Amino acid sequence: MQPIRDMKPNFSVPSSSSVAGGPDSYHQVNVRMTLEDSYLWKAFHEVGTEMIITKQGRRMFPHCKINLSGLLPYAKYIVLVDMVPIDAFRHKWNKDKWEVAGKAEPQPPCRTYLHPDSPAPGSHWMKQSVSFLKLKLTNNTLDQHGHIILHSMHRYQPRFHIVQADDLFSVRWSVFQTFTFPETSFTAVTAYQNTKITKLKIDHNPFAKGFRDEATNTKRRAHRSQPYPEKMAKKMNTTDKESEHGSPPDFRRSPYNAYEDEHMGHPKSKDGVLVKEERYSPWGPEQDPSLNIRTDSPLGADARDIYNSEQLVPTPAAYQPYRSHEYGKLPSPSSSAGGSAGRPGFESRVPDVATVPEHEAPKPQALEMGPTSCAPQLPPGPQDYPGVLNMSVPPASKPGVLGHHLYAPYSTEQALGQWSGPAPGQYPPPHHLPAEYSTQAVHHGYHHGNVADWSQYPLFSYSCW
DNA sequence: TCCCCTTGCACCTTTGAAATGG
DNA sequence: ACCATTTCAAAGGTGCAAGGGG
């Protein structure tokens, strides 16, 4: 594994063909991203979403599925997902709520999941929903399958990145935009802590159908001894109450609320918007109310009751990828719709590439911060960031440099196939773009006190192997 | 002792190839 | 011969529960 520092970032101006179609290609329209199965995510979020992580890798459920619009139909895009820590703590489940259990462990190698269709024209991404079903989470820091590595008992927020790039080689120079959906945040666990989450998973995940309490499912129970009698009884009680997509009434109260009230110092009474948000999100209360930008999202207010949550990226008509711009000055249809202050003090600066460090590793000290410091925290509300990828991508003539974790997932015809990968069979699931590439993530210029530390988690920070 | 993780298990869905029929 | 539908088995995704380790 070649460290990123050995992959000299190419600061020379790339060929126009590799710069996502040249300057004109940066003329962008408003990119919209909506989260599918939003109702399901919210149902989990209200309880406190947990995602199982295993050594061999475990899929997410619900899995990330988004809809995109506003892309340029003929411009090519790359779609990626990564996970960033929400806070700097390790947590534990105590009876019926989550509690802080100490400082977070050092951040594992940060990996990014590359959607297997990437790169593809905007029309492709927009014609149907974009699913990340195959994305897997693992707690194995030595994982060689390209799964996203997480720490158990830590909280994470998935981020979706849309990169306008003709191919992976040009990603480094490409405009990218980042979206987050607060309801997709979760706690990584090796075994479910909250029985309500277990029940939700069983009820909604088809693969767990065998655990549902149905008359037809008698075989397994006959073999089972009576484990956790009270738990089983509880299951029986709640089964009938729950609608197909809804949540039982007792799910309304987030298991995190008590913890958050205690540790995050947020007032329990909030304005109407926040109250509404809190109802949806266990994480909501820990977000700084003064920085709440939920209301400028289409997710705010009634919109959050619809099945899809949506994010909109307002971009300047002529986007200059190498120049700073202030996000706050951009027109924000969503904010106007929300009728609130929008993003107070929010601005996003796209750093000049030339001024950006050659590579940006995840800084371990980011997680060393105490509770009073500005710990990594989920920016409140759906986030989007325009930015410039500063991803170090080796030339195609240097196979092996980048090939460690870049695979041609579906067919060799795809641009991804250009990347030389590991020996066949070494990394079977090839859908990942391991974060081995120096990237100047958007968060760099994201002048927001609450999210400053997101800069510690660049889009493509590089991993350790 | 407690907490967390690993592992093997049974049950289930998904997927793709083979078989069948029009 | 071709195409659409059905069948079937393998692969793989689930949570459960026991056991182990720190």
Side-chain angles (χ1 to χ4, degrees):
Chain A
M1 175 59 57
Q2 184 163 355
I4 200 73
R5 65 177 61 89
D6 292 337
M7 295 188 288
K8 297 298 182 184
N10 181 10
F11 283 113
S12 62
V13 178
S15 65
S16 60
S17 63
S18 66
V19 190
D24 287 347
S25 297
Y26 292 112
H27 180 96
Q28 297 189 350
V29 293
N30 290 334
V31 177
R32 281 179 185 272
M33 179 183 290
T34 61
L35 179 68
E36 275 208 7
D37 296 332
S38 181
Y39 70 91
L40 191 56
W41 278 105
K42 286 166 187 167
F44 278 86
H45 192 58
E46 289 166 9
V47 183
T49 310
E50 297 172 20
M51 294 290 177
I52 293 285
I53 56 176
T54 64
K55 201 172 181 179
Q56 68 272 22
R58 194 82 147 192
R59 286 185 182 180
M60 296 176 72
F61 187 86
H63 70 271
C64 297
K65 199 173 178 183
I66 58 172
N67 284 303
L68 285 167
S69 62
L71 302 176
L72 298 171
Y74 299 105
K76 285 192 173 181
Y77 296 87
I78 288 169
V79 180
L80 314 103
V81 174
D82 65 2
M83 311 280 174
V84 292
I86 288 180
D87 54 35
F89 305 111
R90 179 187 178 89
H91 303 81
K92 68 175 180 182
W93 179 255
N94 190 358
K95 294 182 179 178
D96 61 347
K97 67 179 190 294
W98 286 98
E99 296 176 343
V100 165
K103 286 195 302 182
E105 295 177 29
Q107 173 73 349
C110 183
R111 286 181 172 173
T112 301
Y113 178 88
L114 174 71
H115 192 280
D117 289 355
S118 303
S123 58
H124 173 81
W125 297 116
M126 293 187 291
K127 75 181 178 187
Q128 60 194 7
S129 57
V130 181
S131 173
F132 296 90
L133 179 66
K134 301 288 180 66
L135 187 158
K136 284 188 175 182
L137 310 176
T138 182
N139 58 348
N140 182 12
T141 54
L142 301 177
D143 173 79
Q144 296 194 332
H145 296 85
H147 303 325
I148 291 182
I149 303 170
L150 304 176
H151 279 315
S152 182
M153 313 307 275
H154 288 59
R155 295 164 61 185
Y156 293 93
Q157 172 69 53
R159 298 189 307 181
F160 302 89
H161 309 281
I162 311 299
V163 186
Q164 186 181 340
D166 286 343
D167 52 58
L168 288 176
F169 300 104
S170 60
V171 165
R172 184 193 187 288
W173 304 97
S174 301
V175 177
F176 74 98
Q177 292 163 334
T178 298
F179 301 78
T180 63
F181 298 91
E183 59 265 48
T184 59
S185 61
F186 62 88
T187 305
V189 296
T190 56
Y192 290 124
Q193 308 294 307
N194 187 347
T195 55
K196 292 175 181 174
I197 285 295
T198 307
K199 172 164 174 48
L200 273 177
K201 298 258 185 177
I202 290 173
D203 286 348
H204 294 91
N205 190 336
F207 285 106
K209 195 175 182 179
F211 299 97
R212 294 176 189 171
D213 293 311
E214 292 169 358
T216 56
N217 184 24
T218 57
K219 215 171 184 177
R220 163 175 278 270
R221 278 196 296 275
H223 291 287
R224 275 191 221 161
S225 57
Q226 280 285 355
Y228 308 146
E230 66 277 293
K231 191 165 98 182
M232 299 302 287
K234 188 188 277 184
K235 276 178 88 175
M236 291 296 190
N237 290 336
T238 56
T239 301
D240 294 338
K241 297 179 191 172
E242 212 176 355
S243 63
E244 179 66 20
H245 294 150
S247 305
D250 59 334
F251 286 7
R252 284 303 181 194
R253 176 64 180 173
S254 159
Y256 273 97
N257 284 356
Y259 150 68
E260 286 159 349
D261 291 342
E262 288 174 25
H263 298 273
M264 297 303 178
H266 293 295
K268 288 184 179 178
S269 64
K270 306 185 188 312
D271 60 39
V273 174
L274 278 175
V275 167
K276 193 173 187 67
E277 163 60 16
E278 183 176 9
R279 176 171 160 259
Y280 279 106
S281 167
W283 324 120
E286 67 191 70
Q287 297 163 357
D288 187 345
S290 68
L291 297 173
N292 175 51
I293 60 171
R294 159 68 64 202
T295 53
D296 73 349
S297 163
L299 296 184
D302 294 338
R304 289 185 60 80
D305 288 330
I306 64 176
Y307 276 15
N308 283 345
S309 57
E310 178 179 302
Q311 296 188 25
L312 173 67
V313 172
T315 56
Y319 190 76
Q320 298 298 324
Y322 297 115
R323 283 184 19 207
S324 300
H325 75 280
E326 293 192 12
Y327 192 96
K329 292 181 178 177
L330 303 177
S332 176
S334 54
S335 66
S336 59
S340 79
R343 295 175 170 86
F346 173 88
E347 65 176 0
S348 175
R349 297 179 185 276
V350 181
D352 187 322
V353 169
T355 66
V356 164
E358 236 181 66
H359 55 79
E360 183 110 75
K363 299 177 180 65
Q365 59 268 33
L367 296 175
E368 301 293 332
M369 287 177 295
T372 57
S373 66
C374 188
Q377 205 166 19
L378 170 65
Q383 299 288 315
D384 50 66
Y385 321 84
V388 176
L389 272 183
N390 182 14
M391 189 166 79
S392 181
V393 174
S397 59
K398 291 183 180 179
V401 174
L402 233 210
H404 323 272
H405 308 91
L406 254 183
Y407 322 106
Y410 283 166
S411 88
T412 53
E413 300 165 48
Q414 295 184 346
L416 275 175
Q418 301 174 63
W419 301 79
S420 65
Q426 186 175 356
Y427 307 126
H431 302 159
H432 301 78
L433 178 64
E436 302 259 339
Y437 322 116
S438 167
T439 300
Q440 196 54 56
V442 283
H443 315 299
H444 240 280
Y446 190 54
H447 291 205
H448 193 301
N450 224 20
V451 296
D453 290 290
W454 273 43
S455 63
Q456 310 296 344
Y457 305 97
L459 177 53
F460 302 104
S461 59
Y462 45 95
S463 51
C464 300
W465 71 87

